[in-house]
Amino acid sequence: MFAKSLYCRPCLQRLSRTSTRNFTSSSPRRKHGALSSFTPTSSPELDALLSTFRTNIFLPAHLLKLQQNLIYRKKNRRLLTDIDEPATAKIDNEVHALKPLNRLTDEPSTSKSLAQMVELCKEGKDWVNMVPFLIELKTAGRKIKGPQFEKMVRRMGEKGGLGVIMEMARRVEGTGMRLGEIGIAREAMWGAVMKYIRSEQTENAVHDAHKFIEAIWELLSDERHVDRAATGKKASDPKTHPEIIGVLLWIHALKASLLSNNQDADGTVKRAAEMVLAVWNRDEKPTNNNNTGDDENTTNWYDANKTLIMWAPVWHGMKMARGIVGENTVLGRELTNAISLDLEPKLKKAQRVVAQHVGEDVTRRGLVVYDELSKMAE
């Protein structure tokens, strides 16, 4: 059956004798597949936001061009507001009511809505909607920029949503979230560190952090995330950044220290330490690329806080690794130099800066990580 509004007036009069206003279309003619559904959440506000996006943005993206013209053109408004004969479209096995839409007033902002979604997600069942939501956004042509993904991943990491981050990364073709963007890769890694230090730090917590970090590291070799052939730039590869390798070193050293009696049986600690020092020695270290200001009274707490979250895990990982490989080995002495000459002075200065900008109800993520890892290193 086809809609009256797709034909000239005489044709509509002739079709009206036998046609209902049901817009069906066989799947081969559709650009996209079935429209994603969202599961109920713990927040009525979040449910309403998801429903608005599904009706006003995602559904139109699944319609044929003629059907899109029908809902967006003002002259067709009367045809879509007929109470006695509502217009519908059938997609897959679901029938959707069609209504007139105004792109300026009926479509919510992508960036603001994403931030709102992350804030409203409180329970595990709330997070399960994130991946289908991102897939539908991409289908609708809504682009999410790297900094937006970075902020999303940071908030998810703070809330313990590592499973959703992993699913977003694994389904990169649909979600569009590429770990090749260094900010996103950093936030994913730091999320695992944050979750561990906020946990009971049990054996299971170590295994969970190890599994997540290893999986992210493997995905960084996936061309869907890092197209090395296209860029030809080592700087664009997160696997060449010491703060990324440093988190890998941290989890391998933590696992060896807590679960293997400080033994590096499989050599993963040694390999990770050599990898981070290899990039360290080409001057990609905190002293050269992170400004916290030379004046310890500086108010530039934001950069100082970033220094703490970026380099505290590397510092802790190096300290544990040094105890595992031996302080008097060549590798141990190189780790000592990186710790004492590069990391500790920078971290202590950053800690003083950030400490001046916390209050009774104000915490800083970098300071939390540094303080907790410092306790673990004692």
Side-chain angles (χ1 to χ4, degrees), residues 121-359:
C121 287
K122 307 293 184 184
E123 302 177 8
K125 65 180 180 180
D126 301 337
W127 291 109
V128 298
N129 290 311
M130 187 60 71
V131 170
F133 183 84
L134 291 173
I135 291 173
E136 288 293 351
L137 273 183
K138 189 175 180 184
T139 297
R142 292 288 187 104
K143 293 184 178 180
I144 306 176
K145 296 181 179 179
Q148 291 175 297
F149 270 125
E150 187 176 334
K151 187 174 182 179
M152 280 179 60
V153 173
R154 178 169 69 250
R155 295 297 292 130
M156 287 179 184
E158 291 172 350
K159 292 186 169 200
L162 298 188
V164 184
I165 294 173
M166 183 58 62
E167 187 68 10
M168 287 164 56
R170 284 175 172 159
R171 300 181 66 177
V172 57
E173 297 96 337
T175 64
M177 191 190 81
R178 288 177 169 79
L179 295 170
E181 297 204 29
I182 184 62
I184 299 174
R186 285 172 177 161
E187 292 296 346
M189 289 292 205
W190 297 340
V193 177
M194 287 288 292
K195 185 172 183 178
Y196 176 77
I197 65 175
R198 286 175 169 171
S199 73
E200 297 295 326
Q201 300 181 12
T202 61
E203 182 174 331
N204 285 338
V206 176
H207 284 301
D208 288 344
H210 179 265
K211 181 179 179 181
F212 180 86
I213 291 169
E214 277 284 352
I216 292 293
W217 181 258
E218 287 301 316
L219 285 173
L220 288 172
S221 297
D222 191 327
E223 290 187 357
R224 297 176 303 164
H225 287 280
V226 184
D227 189 351
R228 294 170 178 82
T231 61
K233 298 178 182 178
K234 288 186 178 180
S236 67
D237 183 355
K239 278 193 161 185
T240 67
H241 286 250
E243 70 273 24
I244 299 295
I245 308 170
V247 176
L248 185 72
L249 172 62
W250 173 80
I251 193 58
H252 283 312
L254 184 70
K255 187 178 179 184
S257 176
L258 299 181
L259 307 184
S260 299
N261 196 27
N262 240 28
Q263 298 299 308
D264 185 25
D266 57 2
T268 53
V269 175
K270 182 176 183 289
R271 284 195 296 273
E274 290 171 341
M275 287 167 59
V276 74
L277 287 172
V279 295
W280 206 266
N281 293 332
R282 69 175 194 220
D283 291 335
E284 291 191 14
K285 45 190 162 186
T287 308
N288 296 319
N289 61 5
N290 285 277
N291 175 35
T292 59
D294 294 328
D295 180 3
E296 67 181 52
N297 296 316
T298 179
T299 57
N300 192 6
W301 66 266
Y302 178 84
D303 284 342
N305 190 52
K306 187 173 182 180
T307 291
L308 292 175
I309 185 66
M310 182 176 292
W311 299 110
V314 185
W315 165 77
H316 188 222
M318 284 187 173
K319 290 197 74 171
M320 289 188 292
R322 182 178 60 181
I324 293 168
V325 302
E327 292 189 33
N328 295 322
T329 62
V330 173
L331 183 57
R333 289 192 291 270
E334 290 180 351
L335 289 169
T336 295
N337 287 337
I339 292 167
S340 60
L341 299 180
D342 297 326
L343 285 170
E344 287 185 343
K346 199 72 171 178
L347 288 169
K348 288 177 180 178
K349 182 182 291 186
Q351 189 272 340
R352 289 194 296 268
V353 172
V354 179
Q356 297 173 11
H357 295 272
V358 296

Side-chain angles (χ1 to χ4, degrees), residues 3 5-6 21-24 30 55-56 59-60 62-64 66-72 76-82 85-91 94-101:
S5 54
L6 303 184
R21 293 153 60 84
N22 180 24
F23 293 70
T24 60
R30 290 203 175 278
T55 302
N56 294 5
L59 171 60
H62 286 259
L63 297 176
L64 300 175
L66 290 173
Q67 295 168 341
Q68 292 174 345
N69 292 340
L70 177 65
I71 63 175
Y72 286 124
N76 293 324
R77 180 171 295 270
R78 183 182 60 82
L79 298 169
L80 296 179
T81 54
D82 188 336
E85 196 177 4
T88 61
K90 187 175 183 182
I91 300 175
E94 185 178 4
V95 177
H96 303 268
L98 300 182
K99 66 177 185 178
L101 293 173

